[in-house]
Amino acid sequence: MVGRDERERLGRGRRARFDGYAAITVRDEASAAELAKELDARDDVETAYVEGGPTPPPVNAGDDPRSGNQGYLDAAPDGIDARWAWGATDGTGIGFVDLEQGWTLNHEDLAAAGITIISGVSQAYHGHGTAVLGEVVSVDNTKGGVGVAPGASARVVSQYRTSTSYSTAAAIISAADAMSPGDVLLLEAQTTAGGSSTSYLPVEVEQAVFDAIRDAVDAGIVVVEAAGNGGNDLDDWTDASGRHLLKVGDDDFRDSGAIMVGAASSAAPHARLSFSNHGSRIDCYAWGQNVDTTGDGWTGTSTTAYTGSFGGTSGASPIVTGAAVLLQSWRKARKGSPFSPGSVRSWLSSSLNTPSANPATDRIGVMPDLRAIFDRIEKNERFRIDGRFVYWVYILFGIINDAPGVIWVPGKGPVPVDPDWRSHAVRGRRELVAAIAKEARAFDGRLTPKQLDRIAEKAFKNLGR
């Protein structure tokens, strides 16, 4: 167990990357742009930019027809198959934090969840935050709907640090300090670049926000980030210095580690909605329309309101977040610890999941299919080879000399074996390989897994291992 002093020391160590930041307040946007340009030209300043101010959350409010149900909980290809996953987990044991600007925490379908605020002020777009929370943790009761992961422990953190100050990066840092490895942080936010108000972008385009996300991911926290509703091809977008920061494979690309989410139609096959940002950086998508949840989806504070027309990348991101929470909860219950953030992103964005209607043009990734993910993980674990039997694997695949070859690893396919495998893998154990080979010669090559196990066990026993 790590004591308080040790946690504070580790926190200060992680926080060192922010020591070089300085925030300057000026009288207006024009002055800010001029100052940023002057500072950016200095040799002793790495980067200077105008931080985006408060913007509407990434959602298209009130312009989609009401579905009247939570189809995003259904089996693939319609939804993420949360209803099936509930047979194994409901999100228990995993913390979930929603980052945005406001909520109605005493809503009738959320009050029993005991949601608390980590820091900041619940000040704006209360109905939006209420809708997001409802998608993930609506209580399993006789009112409203049910969240994707109703058993998760939920909290919130506000971008409004005080009633007059606003900072996405500071909110992320505050949340990360209060979370544990394996927890899931949802960034229900978007921003503008260079003071522009015409094109909404993912919040990580701002350097401090990117670093804050990376810091959280490095601390073991899964971060889910709304791609934003600017309708941008993120591969084409460049920052003020002309860098393609969001184009995977470009020399200037940088990976925050967050799972970035686009928005698609509620009907299968799911097509990208026109407002959704898209590109190679997007990992996953989910419903961006007709989402049935708590609140009015925008600015209301009613404790009894519901909507069936929530959407945008704001509506899609909580669905993917709920899938991440269920995956982490299931893993933790089975193995004692959750997946790393990288593993969660790999599973949720893998080809196992539901593709969009036209992947080549949609370019919003895949929608998680929890049944497919859970089944594949279990299958991989069933076929995982015990380290003690690694030697007979080499023999069975004919790698009996110094020639290169491959072994088949479940989930990975053929894995090369270098010519020096014997010197690395069987150093000091050549007699064990010989013993297994001797036992195997009694068969004609058609061996069952049980027979293989018996052969290896007998070889170990004969050698006194």
Side-chain angles (χ1 to χ4, degrees):
M1 179 177 293
V2 179
R4 178 178 177 181
D5 291 343
E6 179 66 2
R7 286 198 302 271
E8 290 179 350
R9 185 188 67 78
L10 292 173
R12 287 194 299 272
R14 291 198 349 253
R15 201 61 12 77
R17 72 180 70 183
F18 299 101
D19 290 345
Y21 278 97
I24 303 174
T25 302
V26 296
R27 63 179 180 275
D28 54 38
E29 185 174 310
S31 301
E34 183 179 353
L35 178 59
K37 184 177 180 179
E38 292 176 1
L39 292 173
D40 203 42
R42 293 174 57 124
D43 293 336
D44 58 344
V45 175
E46 181 176 345
T47 183
Y49 60 92
V50 179
E51 184 177 8
T55 61
V59 66
N60 280 2
D63 60 353
D64 297 316
R66 180 166 182 155
S67 67
N69 60 66
Q70 293 176 280
Y72 52 89
L73 301 174
D74 295 344
D78 294 324
I80 63 172
D81 217 350
R83 300 185 198 279
W84 174 87
W86 289 339
T89 183
D90 64 356
T92 298
I94 298 299
F96 154 64
V97 174
D98 176 38
L99 178 151
E100 49 187 295
Q101 301 174 37
W103 312 263
T104 303
L105 300 181
N106 61 338
H107 186 283
E108 65 177 10
D109 208 14
L110 296 173
I115 304 169
T116 58
I117 187 165
I118 295 172
S119 66
V121 180
S122 178
Q123 180 160 305
Y125 299 104
H126 298 82
H128 182 278
T130 304
V132 169
L133 290 175
E135 286 186 70
V136 184
V137 291
S138 278
V139 178
D140 185 9
N141 53 21
T142 60
K143 301 175 182 178
V146 181
V148 176
S153 175
R155 291 175 292 173
V156 297
V157 65
S158 179
Q159 292 163 280
Y160 273 101
R161 309 311 298 150
T162 69
S163 61
T164 58
S165 64
Y166 177 97
S167 174
T168 301
I172 294 172
I173 293 169
S174 175
D177 282 347
M179 299 174 75
S180 299
D183 287 349
V184 182
L185 171 61
L186 170 59
L187 306 183
E188 278 288 332
Q190 59 187 2
T191 191
T192 55
S196 171
S197 60
T198 61
S199 185
Y200 296 127
L201 293 163
V203 290
E204 69 174 54
V205 300
E206 295 183 357
Q207 185 66 51
V209 175
F210 175 90
D211 284 344
I213 293 172
R214 188 69 254 178
D215 177 68
V217 172
D218 290 345
I221 296 163
V222 177
V223 178
V224 179
E225 179 182 6
N229 294 335
N232 298 294
D233 183 340
L234 299 181
D235 286 352
D236 289 341
W237 179 81
T238 59
D239 69 357
S241 299
R243 298 178 298 174
H244 290 90
L245 300 179
L246 298 172
K247 184 178 181 180
V248 176
D250 190 272
D251 289 343
D252 292 322
F253 172 71
R254 60 186 191 185
D255 187 0
S256 69
I259 300 169
M260 195 174 288
V261 182
S265 63
S266 56
H270 307 281
R272 171 169 54 86
L273 296 171
S274 61
F275 58 79
S276 178
N277 288 337
H278 50 282
S280 57
R281 177 61 183 84
I282 310 296
D283 299 294
C284 299
Y285 75 85
W287 287 28
Q289 59 179 190
N290 302 326
V291 175
D292 196 85
T293 183
T294 51
D296 70 356
W298 201 233
T299 61
T301 58
S302 169
T303 60
T304 58
Y306 296 89
T307 179
S309 59
F310 193 51
T313 53
S314 274
S317 298
I319 296 172
V320 174
T321 296
V325 172
L326 290 181
L327 177 59
Q328 291 290 66
S329 175
W330 179 70
R331 162 74 178 197
K332 187 174 182 179
R334 296 173 74 247
K335 298 294 183 179
S337 61
F339 283 119
S340 69
S343 292
V344 174
R345 184 166 73 167
S346 293
W347 282 115
L348 295 187
S349 63
S350 77
S351 59
L352 291 170
N353 300 292
T354 305
S356 63
N358 191 335
T361 57
D362 291 332
R363 298 165 65 223
I364 50 174
V366 296
M367 183 166 68
D369 177 351
L370 289 169
R371 187 193 299 242
I373 292 171
F374 286 17
D375 284 350
R376 177 59 62 85
I377 292 172
E378 288 183 328
K379 187 174 296 184
N380 284 359
E381 289 174 348
R382 283 199 301 272
F383 288 99
R384 182 168 289 123
I385 299 170
D386 190 303
R388 296 183 307 162
F389 304 148
V390 125
Y391 308 119
W392 59 254
V393 173
Y394 283 112
I395 293 170
L396 292 172
F397 278 85
I399 309 174
I400 54 176
N401 53 36
D402 288 338
V406 298
I407 60 171
W408 189 273
V409 178
K412 293 183 179 179
V415 175
V417 178
D418 70 71
D420 298 323
W421 75 271
R422 284 194 300 180
S423 63
H424 297 308
V426 284
R427 187 178 295 119
R429 286 192 159 190
R430 295 178 186 274
E431 73 279 13
L432 178 57
V433 177
I436 296 174
K438 181 179 179 181
E439 294 294 335
R441 291 193 191 102
F443 296 85
D444 60 5
R446 294 188 293 272
L447 302 176
T448 67
K450 287 185 178 180
Q451 289 172 322
L452 293 174
D453 286 346
R454 285 199 294 270
I455 289 172
E457 290 287 4
K458 184 174 182 181
F460 271 85
K461 183 177 180 181
N462 289 342
L463 290 170
R465 300 298 172 94

